[in-house]
Amino acid sequence: MDQHGRHVEEPRDGDQAIAPGGIVVGVDGSEHGQCALVWAAREAERRQRPLHIVTAYSVPIFAASGLDGGYATVDDSVIREGAEAIVKQAMDKVAGYGIDVDASVENGDAAGVLLDLSADAELLVFGSRGRGGFVGRLLGSVSSALPAHAKCPTVTVPLYCADRLGENTEDKHIKAEHAKAGPRTVENIVAVGVDGSEQARVAVLEAAEQAQRMGAKLRVICAVPQYSGSLAWVPAPLDRDALFADIRVQLDAGVAWLRSHFPELTVETDLKDGSPVDVLVEASRGVELVVLGTRGRGGFAGMLLGSTSDGVLHHAKGPVLVVPDREDPRLADRPKFGPMLGAA
């Protein structure tokens, strides 16, 4: 116990069995990891859930150069000491929060470690990129692995929003982008993207719960790109004015359903003409959180977490919460409130 009566454990060896529950955050000592850590600690405090800090490392293996052939490994003691120092620094950083905190150093692939932990976690948090040993590998060529395959919701925290978390960055690209964008106001709003899919409705419910935790307004965003053959849910021949009028009716019905489950929540809708990815990336500049489902109908999260790398997760200017597919009994009464977006 610390002086605040909180339970704080020393970093544990990854060989020990752990069942973290609560909120799990991946750290690697980078500025990206620091932003993720701060966001996760604040969220743990909001939810009054324990925070589990984890870092992972792999021991390099080199081809032997002698006649004996085979492979050689390096002594992992220095690598492990570095990893232990990272989690100790992270625990010190969140010492002022009123939460239970523990940490572990895991030996293995970073993405695999976090995916395993997601099975028992309430929420998984990580930076948008980091050093090669942890989040850099994790969010490099396999950047969609965690949001797409985690068993719990995930939050990606970009370095761009370091200032709103009270963190500093020396990244020259981020500084230049801030200078170009100029002053901005971040409103206490949770924005959620919808496209008529069942996954999007699950994301809306999660977004509403998160908005309540944050004492925030919920903004339901539907972006309609220019018609293409891949957008099977857009009727043809296309009368865009009629389409927008129809979507507004369906959005209003969805809001009525949402308010039946969250009567005290302030909900607004925002129907946009444009690329869903571009619309949500722009929205992320001025809201506390953007929420998405793991898949959609191709024009939304399906595109984001499919083969397209130029998506919301890689370009967002604020935290992005991705909600995995799951069953929710509250979905059953949605049809009673009127036409459903994207329904045949």
Side-chain angles (χ1 to χ4, degrees), residues 103-119:
S104 67
V105 174
E106 304 293 324
N107 188 346
D109 176 75
V113 166
L114 286 188
L115 283 175
D116 286 345
L117 293 178
S118 75

Side-chain angles (χ1 to χ4, degrees), residues 323-340:
V323 185
D325 297 350
R326 66 187 182 202
E327 300 292 329
D328 193 307
R330 292 171 293 186
L331 296 172
D333 63 356
R334 169 60 185 89
K336 296 190 298 185
F337 289 85
M340 296 169 64

Side-chain angles (χ1 to χ4, degrees), residues 40-289:
R42 291 182 181 182
E43 185 64 18
E45 198 166 53
R46 267 192 292 266
R47 301 189 185 200
Q48 280 302 290
R49 300 291 292 144
L51 178 67
H52 179 75
I53 301 167
V54 60
T55 195
Y57 73 96
S58 297
V59 179
I61 300 176
F62 303 96
S65 58
L67 294 176
D68 56 336
Y71 294 90
T73 61
V74 299
D75 183 354
D76 76 340
S77 59
V78 174
I79 300 175
R80 172 168 284 278
E81 286 173 6
E84 290 172 347
I86 286 171
V87 294
K88 178 63 166 60
Q89 179 188 44
M91 292 179 74
D92 290 343
K93 189 175 183 67
V94 299
Y97 290 86
I99 52 177
D100 291 345
V101 183
D102 72 349
S104 67
V105 174
E106 304 293 324
N107 188 346
D109 176 75
V113 166
L114 286 188
L115 283 175
D116 286 345
L117 293 178
S118 75
D120 296 311
E122 184 174 314
L123 188 69
L124 193 61
V125 185
F126 40 86
S128 55
R129 54 177 80 83
R131 295 178 181 169
F134 194 78
V135 193
R137 285 177 54 203
L138 185 151
L139 286 174
S141 60
V142 291
S143 58
S144 63
L146 286 182
H149 300 293
K151 302 296 189 257
C152 68
T154 63
V155 174
T156 307
V157 184
L159 186 57
Y160 186 91
C161 66
D163 57 343
R164 69 166 88 169
L165 295 169
E167 293 295 297
N168 297 315
T169 177
E170 296 303 318
D171 188 298
K172 61 182 180 180
H173 300 293
I174 299 293
K175 287 185 171 182
E177 196 170 352
H178 278 309
K180 183 179 180 180
R184 63 199 168 94
T185 300
V186 177
E187 298 181 85
N188 192 25
I189 291 173
V190 172
V192 57
V194 298
D195 67 349
S197 66
E198 194 83 338
Q199 291 86 359
R201 282 186 276 274
V202 170
V204 166
L205 292 170
E206 180 72 27
E209 292 172 358
Q210 185 64 24
Q212 282 194 334
R213 292 186 199 104
M214 301 175 76
K217 181 190 302 183
L218 179 66
R219 178 175 295 163
V220 180
I221 299 176
C222 181
V224 184
Q226 290 298 315
Y227 174 72
S228 72
S230 65
L231 299 178
W233 64 284
V234 177
L238 187 64
D239 180 338
R240 207 152 179 85
D241 289 340
L243 172 64
F244 271 65
D246 188 45
I247 291 176
R248 285 191 182 93
V249 170
Q250 296 170 63
L251 284 174
D252 289 344
V255 168
W257 163 69
L258 196 59
R259 285 176 175 151
S260 73
H261 294 285
F262 301 89
E264 297 183 4
L265 184 64
T266 300
V267 185
E268 64 183 29
T269 59
D270 191 6
L271 179 57
K272 293 284 191 181
D273 192 340
S275 158
V277 171
D278 292 344
V279 166
L280 282 183
V281 168
E282 183 59 31
S284 71
R285 295 178 183 274
V287 301
E288 288 289 352
L289 185 67

Side-chain angles (χ1 to χ4, degrees), residues 293-340:
T294 50
R295 292 195 300 276
R297 295 177 176 270
F300 212 92
M303 182 169 71
L304 177 136
L305 290 175
S307 59
T308 303
S309 61
D310 188 24
V312 176
L313 283 175
H314 292 197
H315 297 280
K317 308 306 177 186
V320 178
L321 170 64
V322 177
V323 185
D325 297 350
R326 66 187 182 202
E327 300 292 329
D328 193 307
R330 292 171 293 186
L331 296 172
D333 63 356
R334 169 60 185 89
K336 296 190 298 185
F337 289 85
M340 296 169 64

